[in-house]
Amino acid sequence: MSEHNREQFRPDDHPNDHFLLTSIVGSYPKPKWVNRVSDLADDPDSKFTEEHLHEAHDDACRVIVDEHERTGLDTVSDGEMRRNEMVEFFADRIDGYEFNGPVKVWGHNYFDKPSVVNDVAYGESWLVDEFEFTNAAASKPVKVPITGPYTLASWSFNEAYDDDADLSYALADLVNEEVEALVEAGARYIQIDEPALATTPDDHAIVGECLDRIVAGIPDEVRIGLHVCYGDYSRIYPELLEYPIDEFDVELCNGDYEQIDVFTDPEFTTDLALGVVDVHTTDVESVEEIKANIREGFKIVPPERLTVSPDCGVKLLPREVARQKIENMVTATREIEAELDAGEIDLGPEVSAD
């Protein structure tokens, strides 16, 4: 992968010599009226149609892109306004899947867990329309999150393949087709979400094979990230260093960075996307707290290889809380950059600039 593809996201008017890329993992709270319109669109007695719902999604995407840009993020997204759930959304668009009703997953929560009943196949694009609309609405680069093939396989009923590994590889080939289509449409920042890896870390080799298939033929200027949230990272490190990715995105803030040392031996050789705000609490971290969290990242990589982001998607937070966390995160990042420019931060002997 390219060592320099993050520089394409540095704004022309960036105020500091140092540049720590700021981004969002993916999901963002939906405006309440989006959920209301979705309910009405499902009600045959209402006057709302799928066309009305599509219009509402367009409006919500514009609102969230504008909100992201006003926080000062370097790369933005539409907050996944058109997506319902990270597996269901994609399974609904992949030939070979079918739905047979919700299953109980924990407590009183239900998940519309899909089944793979035939060989999976790529039909129409999954995300190109979403990307093109968001890209047209944004003045900043757009990041595209995609649920990874291992998670798509692990969180489905497999009734068609010999095992989940074979299903994962078949899905990875489809993700590769989708990434090629996104790149053709202009996307330059793709994030593969694999939360299932945190619960079954012994399968890291399967995820590695999936990633090899996903990036096959993808140009080096396209930035590929991998997001794995929560779990025991020591069970996938250092193996993850073999993955063909530009950055590894981790959730460490809500664990108070107790696992930060996992990534120091052996040397971390890819870029790091570090979670610096906790998405499981409505307490808004202060700028000073976030600056301390960002400095945790310098224990692993130099500033030019550090991306700053929330721990995970922020969709479960109240929208105003999510906005305040992101705004403080960006402010903290710009202040850290200025302090680096001024030589006020000692990076220590273990982390040196490239």
Side-chain angles (χ1 to χ4, degrees):
M1 310 306 285
S2 171
E3 296 179 357
H4 307 293
N5 64 20
R6 67 180 292 131
E7 276 301 299
Q8 65 187 304
F9 305 116
R10 178 195 286 262
D12 293 337
D13 59 349
H14 191 67
N16 303 310
D17 291 337
H18 279 85
F19 174 54
L20 278 65
L21 177 63
T22 58
S23 189
I24 189 163
V25 172
S27 68
Y28 200 77
K30 288 183 171 69
K32 289 184 173 57
W33 47 266
V34 172
N35 294 328
R36 176 62 176 149
V37 173
S38 297
D39 291 340
L40 287 170
D42 289 336
D43 182 356
D45 296 327
S46 79
K47 295 181 180 179
F48 280 78
T49 65
E50 284 297 317
E51 184 178 348
H52 294 136
L53 181 60
H54 186 77
E55 181 181 344
H57 284 158
D58 284 353
D59 290 342
C61 290
R62 293 188 188 95
V63 167
I64 300 307
V65 166
D66 179 68
E67 192 157 308
H68 283 181
E69 294 196 344
R70 284 187 287 113
T71 65
L73 284 166
D74 300 310
T75 60
V76 303
S77 79
D78 70 353
E80 303 180 3
M81 291 297 110
R82 303 179 197 277
R83 307 187 194 182
N84 41 6
E85 194 275 336
M86 68 181 302
V87 171
E88 181 182 341
F89 176 86
F90 291 93
D92 197 37
R93 288 158 175 76
I94 298 174
D95 295 341
Y97 269 97
E98 70 175 26
F99 292 87
N100 295 298
V103 297
K104 195 172 185 178
V105 288
W106 70 85
H108 297 289
N109 293 303
Y110 286 82
F111 165 47
D112 203 5
K113 187 173 182 176
S115 299
V116 178
V117 296
N118 290 302
D119 288 353
V120 294
Y122 186 84
E124 296 182 358
S125 168
W126 313 335
L127 298 171
V128 169
D129 287 349
E130 174 189 293
F131 168 75
E132 289 180 334
F133 184 88
T134 307
N135 198 42
S139 63
K140 295 189 174 183
V142 173
K143 179 179 180 179
V144 183
I146 303 176
T147 303
Y150 179 74
T151 296
L152 288 172
S154 299
W155 292 358
S156 305
F157 295 113
N158 176 14
E159 302 173 11
Y161 288 79
D162 290 339
D163 53 43
D164 284 356
D166 285 345
L167 174 57
S168 298
Y169 300 148
L171 288 165
D173 292 338
L174 307 190
V175 175
N176 171 257
E177 289 191 60
E178 180 64 16
V179 172
E180 286 182 336
L182 286 164
V183 171
E184 179 68 23
R188 293 295 179 269
Y189 195 178
I190 308 288
Q191 174 185 280
I192 308 299
D193 293 328
E194 288 287 16
L197 179 58
T199 58
T200 50
D202 292 339
D203 284 348
H204 52 73
I206 297 173
V207 173
E209 170 64 23
C210 287
L211 289 166
D212 285 337
R213 292 173 182 238
I214 289 170
V215 303
I218 303 302
D220 284 351
E221 64 263 29
V222 177
R223 188 167 184 80
I224 302 291
L226 174 67
H227 174 65
V228 179
C229 44
Y230 64 91
D232 181 356
Y233 291 112
S234 69
R235 296 179 64 183
I236 58 173
Y237 194 81
E239 289 81 2
L240 68 86
L241 297 178
E242 302 299 319
Y243 292 168
I245 57 176
D246 293 297
E247 68 179 15
F248 184 61
D249 190 304
V250 295
E251 177 179 2
L252 292 179
C253 184
N254 76 351
D256 200 24
Y257 300 95
E258 290 183 354
Q259 294 192 62
I260 198 78
D261 290 341
V262 166
F263 302 104
T264 59
D265 186 19
E267 179 183 1
F268 196 81
T269 52
T270 190
D271 288 1
L272 175 70
L274 182 69
V276 298
V277 295
D278 189 345
V279 302
H280 299 289
T281 174
T282 57
D283 295 336
V284 177
E285 295 87 348
S286 69
V287 170
E288 288 303 317
E289 288 174 315
I290 298 173
K291 287 169 68 176
N293 295 343
I294 293 172
R295 285 193 286 269
E296 291 284 339
F298 298 151
K299 296 177 180 176
I300 304 174
V301 294
E304 44 277 295
R305 288 175 42 207
L306 184 65
T307 298
V308 177
S309 69
D311 259 353
C312 195
V314 296
K315 70 176 181 180
L316 297 180
L317 293 171
R319 186 171 152 200
E320 180 59 18
V321 170
R323 187 196 63 76
Q324 289 179 356
K325 282 176 180 271
I326 301 300
E327 192 169 86
N328 284 4
M329 183 186 86
V330 174
T331 299
T333 303
R334 301 288 94 96
E335 290 188 10
I336 286 284
E337 290 172 344
E339 291 171 11
L340 287 165
D341 285 358
E344 297 173 357
I345 296 178
D346 180 7
L347 296 174
E350 68 276 16
V351 174
S352 59
D354 289 340

